[in-house]
mmCIF file with all atom_site columns, all heavy atoms in Angstrom:
data_model
loop_
_atom_site.group_PDB
_atom_site.id
_atom_site.type_symbol
_atom_site.label_atom_id
_atom_site.label_alt_id
_atom_site.label_comp_id
_atom_site.label_asym_id
_atom_site.label_entity_id
_atom_site.label_seq_id
_atom_site.pdbx_PDB_ins_code
_atom_site.Cartn_x
_atom_site.Cartn_y
_atom_site.Cartn_z
_atom_site.occupancy
_atom_site.B_iso_or_equiv
_atom_site.pdbx_formal_charge
_atom_site.auth_seq_id
_atom_site.auth_comp_id
_atom_site.auth_asym_id
_atom_site.auth_atom_id
_atom_site.pdbx_PDB_model_num
ATOM 1  N N   . MET A 1 1   ? 0.843  -1.293 -0.059 1.00 72.00 ? 1   MET A N   1
ATOM 2  C CA  . MET A 1 1   ? -0.079 0.007  -0.073 1.00 72.00 ? 1   MET A CA  1
ATOM 3  C C   . MET A 1 1   ? 0.842  1.219  -0.063 1.00 72.00 ? 1   MET A C   1
ATOM 4  O O   . MET A 1 1   ? 1.868  1.345  0.766  1.00 72.00 ? 1   MET A O   1
ATOM 5  C CB  . MET A 1 1   ? -0.891 0.007  1.183  1.00 72.00 ? 1   MET A CB  1
ATOM 6  C CG  . MET A 1 1   ? -1.791 1.180  1.294  1.00 72.00 ? 1   MET A CG  1
ATOM 7  S SD  . MET A 1 1   ? -3.069 0.970  2.519  1.00 72.00 ? 1   MET A SD  1
ATOM 8  C CE  . MET A 1 1   ? -2.526 2.300  3.697  1.00 72.00 ? 1   MET A CE  1
ATOM 9  N N   . HIS A 1 8   ? 4.534  20.996 1.828  1.00 67.00 ? 8   HIS A N   1
ATOM 10 C CA  . HIS A 1 8   ? 4.025  22.178 2.453  1.00 67.00 ? 8   HIS A CA  1
ATOM 11 C C   . HIS A 1 8   ? 4.095  23.441 1.551  1.00 67.00 ? 8   HIS A C   1
ATOM 12 O O   . HIS A 1 8   ? 3.691  24.415 1.960  1.00 67.00 ? 8   HIS A O   1
ATOM 13 C CB  . HIS A 1 8   ? 4.983  22.407 3.652  1.00 67.00 ? 8   HIS A CB  1
ATOM 14 C CG  . HIS A 1 8   ? 6.362  22.821 3.349  1.00 67.00 ? 8   HIS A CG  1
ATOM 15 N ND1 . HIS A 1 8   ? 7.309  21.850 3.089  1.00 67.00 ? 8   HIS A ND1 1
ATOM 16 C CD2 . HIS A 1 8   ? 6.952  24.005 3.264  1.00 67.00 ? 8   HIS A CD2 1
ATOM 17 C CE1 . HIS A 1 8   ? 8.454  22.413 2.648  1.00 67.00 ? 8   HIS A CE1 1
ATOM 18 N NE2 . HIS A 1 8   ? 8.269  23.716 2.908  1.00 67.00 ? 8   HIS A NE2 1
ATOM 19 N N   . VAL A 1 18  ? 6.563  9.433  0.311  1.00 88.00 ? 18  VAL A N   1
ATOM 20 C CA  . VAL A 1 18  ? 5.731  8.393  -0.180 1.00 88.00 ? 18  VAL A CA  1
ATOM 21 C C   . VAL A 1 18  ? 6.198  7.112  0.699  1.00 88.00 ? 18  VAL A C   1
ATOM 22 O O   . VAL A 1 18  ? 7.288  6.802  0.679  1.00 88.00 ? 18  VAL A O   1
ATOM 23 C CB  . VAL A 1 18  ? 5.777  8.045  -1.687 1.00 88.00 ? 18  VAL A CB  1
ATOM 24 C CG1 . VAL A 1 18  ? 4.929  6.857  -2.000 1.00 88.00 ? 18  VAL A CG1 1
ATOM 25 C CG2 . VAL A 1 18  ? 5.228  9.318  -2.347 1.00 88.00 ? 18  VAL A CG2 1
ATOM 26 N N   . HIS A 1 29  ? 13.877 18.156 0.042  1.00 93.00 ? 29  HIS A N   1
ATOM 27 C CA  . HIS A 1 29  ? 13.665 18.959 1.214  1.00 93.00 ? 29  HIS A CA  1
ATOM 28 C C   . HIS A 1 29  ? 14.725 20.025 1.226  1.00 93.00 ? 29  HIS A C   1
ATOM 29 O O   . HIS A 1 29  ? 15.907 19.800 0.838  1.00 93.00 ? 29  HIS A O   1
ATOM 30 C CB  . HIS A 1 29  ? 13.801 18.100 2.384  1.00 93.00 ? 29  HIS A CB  1
ATOM 31 C CG  . HIS A 1 29  ? 12.587 17.395 2.762  1.00 93.00 ? 29  HIS A CG  1
ATOM 32 N ND1 . HIS A 1 29  ? 12.004 16.253 1.950  1.00 93.00 ? 29  HIS A ND1 1
ATOM 33 C CD2 . HIS A 1 29  ? 11.660 17.408 3.665  1.00 93.00 ? 29  HIS A CD2 1
ATOM 34 C CE1 . HIS A 1 29  ? 10.946 15.818 2.502  1.00 93.00 ? 29  HIS A CE1 1
ATOM 35 N NE2 . HIS A 1 29  ? 10.608 16.469 3.625  1.00 93.00 ? 29  HIS A NE2 1
ATOM 36 N N   . GLY A 1 32  ? 15.646 26.985 5.690  1.00 95.00 ? 32  GLY A N   1
ATOM 37 C CA  . GLY A 1 32  ? 16.580 28.032 6.108  1.00 95.00 ? 32  GLY A CA  1
ATOM 38 C C   . GLY A 1 32  ? 17.137 28.901 5.048  1.00 95.00 ? 32  GLY A C   1
ATOM 39 O O   . GLY A 1 32  ? 18.124 29.506 5.251  1.00 95.00 ? 32  GLY A O   1
ATOM 40 N N   . LEU A 1 53  ? 9.512  12.807 8.483  1.00 95.00 ? 53  LEU A N   1
ATOM 41 C CA  . LEU A 1 53  ? 9.599  11.428 8.805  1.00 95.00 ? 53  LEU A CA  1
ATOM 42 C C   . LEU A 1 53  ? 8.746  11.108 10.053 1.00 95.00 ? 53  LEU A C   1
ATOM 43 O O   . LEU A 1 53  ? 8.177  10.069 10.283 1.00 95.00 ? 53  LEU A O   1
ATOM 44 C CB  . LEU A 1 53  ? 11.073 11.008 9.165  1.00 95.00 ? 53  LEU A CB  1
ATOM 45 C CG  . LEU A 1 53  ? 11.910 10.938 7.891  1.00 95.00 ? 53  LEU A CG  1
ATOM 46 C CD1 . LEU A 1 53  ? 13.369 10.872 8.289  1.00 95.00 ? 53  LEU A CD1 1
ATOM 47 C CD2 . LEU A 1 53  ? 11.544 9.550  7.245  1.00 95.00 ? 53  LEU A CD2 1
ATOM 48 N N   . ALA A 1 54  ? 8.709  12.080 11.043 1.00 95.00 ? 54  ALA A N   1
ATOM 49 C CA  . ALA A 1 54  ? 7.830  12.001 12.197 1.00 95.00 ? 54  ALA A CA  1
ATOM 50 C C   . ALA A 1 54  ? 6.370  11.784 11.841 1.00 95.00 ? 54  ALA A C   1
ATOM 51 O O   . ALA A 1 54  ? 5.649  11.006 12.637 1.00 95.00 ? 54  ALA A O   1
ATOM 52 C CB  . ALA A 1 54  ? 8.101  13.165 13.101 1.00 95.00 ? 54  ALA A CB  1
ATOM 53 N N   . VAL A 1 98  ? 26.444 18.517 -7.241 1.00 97.00 ? 98  VAL A N   1
ATOM 54 C CA  . VAL A 1 98  ? 26.506 20.026 -7.375 1.00 97.00 ? 98  VAL A CA  1
ATOM 55 C C   . VAL A 1 98  ? 25.406 20.359 -8.485 1.00 97.00 ? 98  VAL A C   1
ATOM 56 O O   . VAL A 1 98  ? 25.479 19.755 -9.611 1.00 97.00 ? 98  VAL A O   1
ATOM 57 C CB  . VAL A 1 98  ? 27.871 20.549 -7.807 1.00 97.00 ? 98  VAL A CB  1
ATOM 58 C CG1 . VAL A 1 98  ? 27.916 22.017 -8.037 1.00 97.00 ? 98  VAL A CG1 1
ATOM 59 C CG2 . VAL A 1 98  ? 28.844 20.162 -6.654 1.00 97.00 ? 98  VAL A CG2 1
ATOM 60 N N   . ALA A 1 103 ? 15.123 28.481 -6.804 1.00 90.00 ? 103 ALA A N   1
ATOM 61 C CA  . ALA A 1 103 ? 15.146 29.586 -5.873 1.00 90.00 ? 103 ALA A CA  1
ATOM 62 C C   . ALA A 1 103 ? 16.717 30.061 -5.701 1.00 90.00 ? 103 ALA A C   1
ATOM 63 O O   . ALA A 1 103 ? 17.434 29.312 -5.323 1.00 90.00 ? 103 ALA A O   1
ATOM 64 C CB  . ALA A 1 103 ? 14.724 29.238 -4.501 1.00 90.00 ? 103 ALA A CB  1
#
Side-chain angles (χ1 to χ4, degrees):
M1 180 167 111
H8 65 281
V18 175
H29 278 68
L53 287 165
V98 176

